Amino acid sequence: MTSLALNGTIGLRSTSQVSRKSKAAVRVATRSVRQQQHHQQQRQRSAGHVAMNRSTTRPLTICASSSTPGVIPYSSLTFQGTHDEIPQFGLGTWLSEPGKVYEATKAAIDAGYRHIDEAWIYYNEAEVGQALAEKFEEGVVTRGDMFITSKLWNNFHRPELVKAGLEESLKALGLEYLDLYLIHFPVAFIPGVDEATSPEQVEEVPLADTWKAMEELVDAGLVGNIGTSNFEIEHLKQVQAVATKPLAANQFETHPYYQRNELVNYCHDNDIVVIAHTSLGSPANVMSAHAASQPLMQDPVVGEIAASVNKTPAQVLLRWAIQRPTVVIPKSVTASRIVSNGEVFDFELTSEQVAALNGLDKPGLEGCFNHPKTPWLGRSEFVEGETSHYCNE
């Protein structure tokens, strides 16, 4: 997995004669060396992998994360710009209840997960960071074993605030760098606003400006790869027009009801790894109550396929996503379900089963469970005092 630096102190903090500017230069240089070492290791690992993209027959090369019985295996996709590998299976942490995500993260690592997906707006990075620190201390994993993603929230889009947004996440997680950092939405809020509840709290910040500040984070050695989240093709093109560093990944909702094939194909054609969120329909998400479709895991086609392969509906949905291929990050805080979700590498869906699931796609936003009516995405009007249709608080 991606590794830019070992957990520890970097720099010459004990040398009072060294200026802050010099210290910063030493930190960057140290991270740069470690980054180069990491990329070399990644390229060596990649030699044993089969490249997976839309034009191939999608053979799945499995790398065992551990020889310990009961620990899930995993496969990886490769970022074309850096050749870093992102595990195709990770733990999602959105809507993980306070006090539970800490135990969930530890259970996931023990089960073989090596990829954790986080974000500033999830308000639980500190708990995940505590769990990571304990697993590092126990020797279960090292920082270099783990792939950690977080996201820049909408109120940090101004270029001068981008680094501050990252630093808040790094501090909460107790880390010196992230493997992947994403712009969470192509929408900017005024500074200090966590959730926009009126048009006045949304502001215009060019995505090109935010992206340029994201690139500076790579130069500073604070992140290994950068990308986007919930971006449509038009937004991706705005970034691509100015990007001098690879747009590594785009994370967005995609599943059999809301397949987003045009967007998925655009990403694959442009060497952008797709990270699928809401793969199971996000049943704990209050916004799902405003969706036009039945719960995804209750679909009879999904149920029939699950019964035929002796798997759960969740496992069938995750396997469908893996075979596209996309990265999946299912959320759970239940230890048994965390293990169960990971049991998707011991079977494959047939072409007929994949075709049946492909046939479930719905038009427009009919199959959307995540932000189907969010006003700051232009999907409804702001209503004073009413946020239940797009806010989980």
PDB file of all heavy atoms in Angstrom, residues 260-286:
ATOM      1  N   ARG A 260     -24.361   5.492 -13.280  1.00  0.00           N
ATOM      2  CA  ARG A 260     -23.503   6.585 -13.735  1.00  0.00           C
ATOM      3  C   ARG A 260     -22.497   6.111 -14.789  1.00  0.00           C
ATOM      4  O   ARG A 260     -21.307   6.436 -14.739  1.00  0.00           O
ATOM      5  CB  ARG A 260     -22.740   7.216 -12.564  1.00  0.00           C
ATOM      6  CG  ARG A 260     -23.526   7.458 -11.297  1.00  0.00           C
ATOM      7  CD  ARG A 260     -24.705   8.384 -11.479  1.00  0.00           C
ATOM      8  NE  ARG A 260     -24.374   9.603 -12.196  1.00  0.00           N
ATOM      9  CZ  ARG A 260     -23.774  10.656 -11.637  1.00  0.00           C
ATOM     10  NH1 ARG A 260     -23.417  10.604 -10.369  1.00  0.00           N
ATOM     11  NH2 ARG A 260     -23.522  11.730 -12.346  1.00  0.00           N
ATOM     12  N   ASN A 261     -22.946   5.329 -15.754  1.00  0.00           N
ATOM     13  CA  ASN A 261     -22.027   4.710 -16.710  1.00  0.00           C
ATOM     14  C   ASN A 261     -21.213   5.727 -17.503  1.00  0.00           C
ATOM     15  O   ASN A 261     -20.024   5.508 -17.758  1.00  0.00           O
ATOM     16  CB  ASN A 261     -22.797   3.793 -17.653  1.00  0.00           C
ATOM     17  CG  ASN A 261     -23.250   2.516 -16.971  1.00  0.00           C
ATOM     18  OD1 ASN A 261     -22.481   1.892 -16.254  1.00  0.00           O
ATOM     19  ND2 ASN A 261     -24.498   2.146 -17.166  1.00  0.00           N
ATOM     20  N   GLU A 262     -21.827   6.831 -17.892  1.00  0.00           N
ATOM     21  CA  GLU A 262     -21.084   7.837 -18.650  1.00  0.00           C
ATOM     22  C   GLU A 262     -19.945   8.397 -17.810  1.00  0.00           C
ATOM     23  O   GLU A 262     -18.817   8.574 -18.307  1.00  0.00           O
ATOM     24  CB  GLU A 262     -22.010   8.964 -19.101  1.00  0.00           C
ATOM     25  CG  GLU A 262     -21.309  10.006 -19.958  1.00  0.00           C
ATOM     26  CD  GLU A 262     -22.235  11.122 -20.416  1.00  0.00           C
ATOM     27  OE1 GLU A 262     -23.413  11.150 -19.983  1.00  0.00           O
ATOM     28  OE2 GLU A 262     -21.775  11.999 -21.187  1.00  0.00           O
ATOM     29  N   LEU A 263     -20.216   8.672 -16.545  1.00  0.00           N
ATOM     30  CA  LEU A 263     -19.194   9.212 -15.652  1.00  0.00           C
ATOM     31  C   LEU A 263     -18.124   8.162 -15.347  1.00  0.00           C
ATOM     32  O   LEU A 263     -16.925   8.463 -15.358  1.00  0.00           O
ATOM     33  CB  LEU A 263     -19.847   9.709 -14.360  1.00  0.00           C
ATOM     34  CG  LEU A 263     -18.917  10.301 -13.297  1.00  0.00           C
ATOM     35  CD1 LEU A 263     -18.078  11.435 -13.857  1.00  0.00           C
ATOM     36  CD2 LEU A 263     -19.734  10.787 -12.084  1.00  0.00           C
ATOM     37  N   VAL A 264     -18.536   6.925 -15.084  1.00  0.00           N
ATOM     38  CA  VAL A 264     -17.570   5.851 -14.821  1.00  0.00           C
ATOM     39  C   VAL A 264     -16.658   5.660 -16.028  1.00  0.00           C
ATOM     40  O   VAL A 264     -15.421   5.569 -15.894  1.00  0.00           O
ATOM     41  CB  VAL A 264     -18.301   4.535 -14.482  1.00  0.00           C
ATOM     42  CG1 VAL A 264     -17.309   3.367 -14.458  1.00  0.00           C
ATOM     43  CG2 VAL A 264     -19.003   4.636 -13.131  1.00  0.00           C
ATOM     44  N   ASN A 265     -17.247   5.621 -17.227  1.00  0.00           N
ATOM     45  CA  ASN A 265     -16.442   5.414 -18.433  1.00  0.00           C
ATOM     46  C   ASN A 265     -15.505   6.584 -18.698  1.00  0.00           C
ATOM     47  O   ASN A 265     -14.355   6.380 -19.130  1.00  0.00           O
ATOM     48  CB  ASN A 265     -17.349   5.190 -19.637  1.00  0.00           C
ATOM     49  CG  ASN A 265     -18.088   3.864 -19.564  1.00  0.00           C
ATOM     50  OD1 ASN A 265     -17.709   2.969 -18.823  1.00  0.00           O
ATOM     51  ND2 ASN A 265     -19.165   3.748 -20.329  1.00  0.00           N
ATOM     52  N   TYR A 266     -15.970   7.791 -18.413  1.00  0.00           N
ATOM     53  CA  TYR A 266     -15.100   8.962 -18.591  1.00  0.00           C
ATOM     54  C   TYR A 266     -13.891   8.862 -17.668  1.00  0.00           C
ATOM     55  O   TYR A 266     -12.752   9.117 -18.081  1.00  0.00           O
ATOM     56  CB  TYR A 266     -15.868  10.254 -18.318  1.00  0.00           C
ATOM     57  CG  TYR A 266     -15.025  11.499 -18.529  1.00  0.00           C
ATOM     58  CD1 TYR A 266     -14.935  12.099 -19.780  1.00  0.00           C
ATOM     59  CD2 TYR A 266     -14.301  12.066 -17.471  1.00  0.00           C
ATOM     60  CE1 TYR A 266     -14.148  13.226 -19.985  1.00  0.00           C
ATOM     61  CE2 TYR A 266     -13.509  13.177 -17.662  1.00  0.00           C
ATOM     62  CZ  TYR A 266     -13.436  13.755 -18.923  1.00  0.00           C
ATOM     63  OH  TYR A 266     -12.641  14.868 -19.126  1.00  0.00           O
ATOM     64  N   CYS A 267     -14.139   8.478 -16.425  1.00  0.00           N
ATOM     65  CA  CYS A 267     -13.029   8.336 -15.474  1.00  0.00           C
ATOM     66  C   CYS A 267     -12.056   7.261 -15.934  1.00  0.00           C
ATOM     67  O   CYS A 267     -10.832   7.472 -15.957  1.00  0.00           O
ATOM     68  CB  CYS A 267     -13.567   8.016 -14.083  1.00  0.00           C
ATOM     69  SG  CYS A 267     -14.415   9.393 -13.277  1.00  0.00           S
ATOM     70  N   HIS A 268     -12.557   6.107 -16.327  1.00  0.00           N
ATOM     71  CA  HIS A 268     -11.681   5.030 -16.779  1.00  0.00           C
ATOM     72  C   HIS A 268     -10.893   5.444 -18.021  1.00  0.00           C
ATOM     73  O   HIS A 268      -9.698   5.140 -18.144  1.00  0.00           O
ATOM     74  CB  HIS A 268     -12.503   3.780 -17.066  1.00  0.00           C
ATOM     75  CG  HIS A 268     -12.960   3.068 -15.841  1.00  0.00           C
ATOM     76  ND1 HIS A 268     -13.896   2.044 -15.860  1.00  0.00           N
ATOM     77  CD2 HIS A 268     -12.626   3.227 -14.531  1.00  0.00           C
ATOM     78  CE1 HIS A 268     -14.086   1.596 -14.632  1.00  0.00           C
ATOM     79  NE2 HIS A 268     -13.344   2.307 -13.804  1.00  0.00           N
ATOM     80  N   ASP A 269     -11.539   6.142 -18.943  1.00  0.00           N
ATOM     81  CA  ASP A 269     -10.857   6.578 -20.162  1.00  0.00           C
ATOM     82  C   ASP A 269      -9.756   7.588 -19.880  1.00  0.00           C
ATOM     83  O   ASP A 269      -8.817   7.730 -20.672  1.00  0.00           O
ATOM     84  CB  ASP A 269     -11.860   7.189 -21.143  1.00  0.00           C
ATOM     85  CG  ASP A 269     -12.757   6.147 -21.782  1.00  0.00           C
ATOM     86  OD1 ASP A 269     -12.408   4.948 -21.740  1.00  0.00           O
ATOM     87  OD2 ASP A 269     -13.828   6.522 -22.309  1.00  0.00           O
ATOM     88  N   ASN A 270      -9.882   8.290 -18.758  1.00  0.00           N
ATOM     89  CA  ASN A 270      -8.903   9.317 -18.398  1.00  0.00           C
ATOM     90  C   ASN A 270      -8.004   8.884 -17.246  1.00  0.00           C
ATOM     91  O   ASN A 270      -7.383   9.730 -16.586  1.00  0.00           O
ATOM     92  CB  ASN A 270      -9.632  10.624 -18.051  1.00  0.00           C
ATOM     93  CG  ASN A 270     -10.176  11.341 -19.261  1.00  0.00           C
ATOM     94  OD1 ASN A 270      -9.497  12.173 -19.862  1.00  0.00           O
ATOM     95  ND2 ASN A 270     -11.409  11.006 -19.646  1.00  0.00           N
ATOM     96  N   ASP A 271      -7.915   7.591 -17.010  1.00  0.00           N
ATOM     97  CA  ASP A 271      -7.044   7.037 -15.966  1.00  0.00           C
ATOM     98  C   ASP A 271      -7.348   7.604 -14.586  1.00  0.00           C
ATOM     99  O   ASP A 271      -6.444   7.836 -13.772  1.00  0.00           O
ATOM    100  CB  ASP A 271      -5.569   7.263 -16.317  1.00  0.00           C
ATOM    101  CG  ASP A 271      -5.139   6.451 -17.529  1.00  0.00           C
ATOM    102  OD1 ASP A 271      -5.652   5.338 -17.698  1.00  0.00           O
ATOM    103  OD2 ASP A 271      -4.294   6.942 -18.299  1.00  0.00           O
ATOM    104  N   ILE A 272      -8.625   7.832 -14.320  1.00  0.00           N
ATOM    105  CA  ILE A 272      -9.077   8.294 -13.006  1.00  0.00           C
ATOM    106  C   ILE A 272      -9.743   7.115 -12.309  1.00  0.00           C
ATOM    107  O   ILE A 272     -10.734   6.568 -12.807  1.00  0.00           O
ATOM    108  CB  ILE A 272     -10.076   9.463 -13.135  1.00  0.00           C
ATOM    109  CG1 ILE A 272      -9.430  10.646 -13.861  1.00  0.00           C
ATOM    110  CG2 ILE A 272     -10.601   9.884 -11.765  1.00  0.00           C
ATOM    111  CD1 ILE A 272     -10.427  11.739 -14.247  1.00  0.00           C
ATOM    112  N   VAL A 273      -9.201   6.685 -11.187  1.00  0.00           N
ATOM    113  CA  VAL A 273      -9.784   5.566 -10.455  1.00  0.00           C
ATOM    114  C   VAL A 273     -11.138   5.978  -9.888  1.00  0.00           C
ATOM    115  O   VAL A 273     -11.289   7.067  -9.333  1.00  0.00           O
ATOM    116  CB  VAL A 273      -8.846   5.115  -9.315  1.00  0.00           C
ATOM    117  CG1 VAL A 273      -9.541   4.132  -8.377  1.00  0.00           C
ATOM    118  CG2 VAL A 273      -7.585   4.480  -9.889  1.00  0.00           C
ATOM    119  N   VAL A 274     -12.123   5.108 -10.037  1.00  0.00           N
ATOM    120  CA  VAL A 274     -13.457   5.365  -9.494  1.00  0.00           C
ATOM    121  C   VAL A 274     -13.576   4.712  -8.124  1.00  0.00           C
ATOM    122  O   VAL A 274     -13.330   3.510  -7.972  1.00  0.00           O
ATOM    123  CB  VAL A 274     -14.556   4.813 -10.418  1.00  0.00           C
ATOM    124  CG1 VAL A 274     -15.934   4.945  -9.763  1.00  0.00           C
ATOM    125  CG2 VAL A 274     -14.538   5.548 -11.761  1.00  0.00           C
ATOM    126  N   ILE A 275     -13.933   5.513  -7.132  1.00  0.00           N
ATOM    127  CA  ILE A 275     -14.224   5.015  -5.788  1.00  0.00           C
ATOM    128  C   ILE A 275     -15.730   5.135  -5.599  1.00  0.00           C
ATOM    129  O   ILE A 275     -16.280   6.237  -5.628  1.00  0.00           O
ATOM    130  CB  ILE A 275     -13.477   5.818  -4.709  1.00  0.00           C
ATOM    131  CG1 ILE A 275     -11.968   5.805  -4.973  1.00  0.00           C
ATOM    132  CG2 ILE A 275     -13.789   5.257  -3.320  1.00  0.00           C
ATOM    133  CD1 ILE A 275     -11.181   6.724  -4.052  1.00  0.00           C
ATOM    134  N   ALA A 276     -16.386   4.010  -5.432  1.00  0.00           N
ATOM    135  CA  ALA A 276     -17.844   4.000  -5.329  1.00  0.00           C
ATOM    136  C   ALA A 276     -18.280   4.160  -3.881  1.00  0.00           C
ATOM    137  O   ALA A 276     -17.880   3.368  -3.024  1.00  0.00           O
ATOM    138  CB  ALA A 276     -18.391   2.697  -5.895  1.00  0.00           C
ATOM    139  N   HIS A 277     -19.074   5.188  -3.613  1.00  0.00           N
ATOM    140  CA  HIS A 277     -19.703   5.250  -2.297  1.00  0.00           C
ATOM    141  C   HIS A 277     -21.196   4.944  -2.436  1.00  0.00           C
ATOM    142  O   HIS A 277     -21.733   4.890  -3.532  1.00  0.00           O
ATOM    143  CB  HIS A 277     -19.436   6.588  -1.585  1.00  0.00           C
ATOM    144  CG  HIS A 277     -20.117   7.794  -2.135  1.00  0.00           C
ATOM    145  ND1 HIS A 277     -21.487   7.951  -2.176  1.00  0.00           N
ATOM    146  CD2 HIS A 277     -19.614   8.960  -2.639  1.00  0.00           C
ATOM    147  CE1 HIS A 277     -21.803   9.140  -2.674  1.00  0.00           C
ATOM    148  NE2 HIS A 277     -20.683   9.770  -2.986  1.00  0.00           N
ATOM    149  N   THR A 278     -21.842   4.677  -1.308  1.00  0.00           N
ATOM    150  CA  THR A 278     -23.263   4.322  -1.285  1.00  0.00           C
ATOM    151  C   THR A 278     -23.506   3.032  -2.074  1.00  0.00           C
ATOM    152  O   THR A 278     -24.564   2.849  -2.676  1.00  0.00           O
ATOM    153  CB  THR A 278     -24.138   5.476  -1.823  1.00  0.00           C
ATOM    154  OG1 THR A 278     -23.641   6.731  -1.342  1.00  0.00           O
ATOM    155  CG2 THR A 278     -25.592   5.364  -1.348  1.00  0.00           C
ATOM    156  N   SER A 279     -22.546   2.134  -2.068  1.00  0.00           N
ATOM    157  CA  SER A 279     -22.664   0.892  -2.844  1.00  0.00           C
ATOM    158  C   SER A 279     -23.825   0.015  -2.398  1.00  0.00           C
ATOM    159  O   SER A 279     -24.342  -0.779  -3.193  1.00  0.00           O
ATOM    160  CB  SER A 279     -21.363   0.093  -2.726  1.00  0.00           C
ATOM    161  OG  SER A 279     -20.282   0.785  -3.283  1.00  0.00           O
ATOM    162  N   LEU A 280     -24.240   0.161  -1.147  1.00  0.00           N
ATOM    163  CA  LEU A 280     -25.326  -0.664  -0.612  1.00  0.00           C
ATOM    164  C   LEU A 280     -26.630   0.111  -0.468  1.00  0.00           C
ATOM    165  O   LEU A 280     -27.602  -0.392   0.089  1.00  0.00           O
ATOM    166  CB  LEU A 280     -24.923  -1.252   0.742  1.00  0.00           C
ATOM    167  CG  LEU A 280     -23.608  -2.034   0.773  1.00  0.00           C
ATOM    168  CD1 LEU A 280     -23.326  -2.564   2.165  1.00  0.00           C
ATOM    169  CD2 LEU A 280     -23.624  -3.164  -0.244  1.00  0.00           C
ATOM    170  N   GLY A 281     -26.653   1.348  -0.967  1.00  0.00           N
ATOM    171  CA  GLY A 281     -27.849   2.163  -0.865  1.00  0.00           C
ATOM    172  C   GLY A 281     -27.928   2.997   0.395  1.00  0.00           C
ATOM    173  O   GLY A 281     -28.914   3.692   0.615  1.00  0.00           O
ATOM    174  N   SER A 282     -26.909   2.917   1.243  1.00  0.00           N
ATOM    175  CA  SER A 282     -26.798   3.741   2.447  1.00  0.00           C
ATOM    176  C   SER A 282     -28.093   3.753   3.262  1.00  0.00           C
ATOM    177  O   SER A 282     -28.723   4.789   3.455  1.00  0.00           O
ATOM    178  CB  SER A 282     -26.417   5.182   2.059  1.00  0.00           C
ATOM    179  OG  SER A 282     -25.998   5.926   3.180  1.00  0.00           O
ATOM    180  N   PRO A 283     -28.528   2.587   3.775  1.00  0.00           N
ATOM    181  CA  PRO A 283     -29.796   2.517   4.499  1.00  0.00           C
ATOM    182  C   PRO A 283     -29.856   3.359   5.768  1.00  0.00           C
ATOM    183  O   PRO A 283     -30.949   3.721   6.216  1.00  0.00           O
ATOM    184  CB  PRO A 283     -29.937   1.021   4.819  1.00  0.00           C
ATOM    185  CG  PRO A 283     -28.553   0.465   4.719  1.00  0.00           C
ATOM    186  CD  PRO A 283     -27.876   1.272   3.660  1.00  0.00           C
ATOM    187  N   ALA A 284     -28.698   3.701   6.358  1.00  0.00           N
ATOM    188  CA  ALA A 284     -28.697   4.517   7.579  1.00  0.00           C
ATOM    189  C   ALA A 284     -28.771   6.004   7.281  1.00  0.00           C
ATOM    190  O   ALA A 284     -28.867   6.822   8.195  1.00  0.00           O
ATOM    191  CB  ALA A 284     -27.450   4.219   8.401  1.00  0.00           C
ATOM    192  N   ASN A 285     -28.747   6.362   6.026  1.00  0.00           N
ATOM    193  CA  ASN A 285     -28.729   7.755   5.599  1.00  0.00           C
ATOM    194  C   ASN A 285     -30.151   8.306   5.575  1.00  0.00           C
ATOM    195  O   ASN A 285     -31.015   7.789   4.859  1.00  0.00           O
ATOM    196  CB  ASN A 285     -28.073   7.801   4.206  1.00  0.00           C
ATOM    197  CG  ASN A 285     -28.175   9.141   3.526  1.00  0.00           C
ATOM    198  OD1 ASN A 285     -28.531  10.138   4.133  1.00  0.00           O
ATOM    199  ND2 ASN A 285     -27.867   9.152   2.248  1.00  0.00           N
ATOM    200  N   VAL A 286     -30.410   9.377   6.324  1.00  0.00           N
ATOM    201  CA  VAL A 286     -31.770   9.928   6.354  1.00  0.00           C
ATOM    202  C   VAL A 286     -32.204  10.418   4.981  1.00  0.00           C
ATOM    203  O   VAL A 286     -33.402  10.475   4.682  1.00  0.00           O
ATOM    204  CB  VAL A 286     -31.888  11.076   7.379  1.00  0.00           C
ATOM    205  CG1 VAL A 286     -31.585  10.593   8.771  1.00  0.00           C
ATOM    206  CG2 VAL A 286     -31.009  12.260   7.010  1.00  0.00           C
TER     207      VAL A 286
END
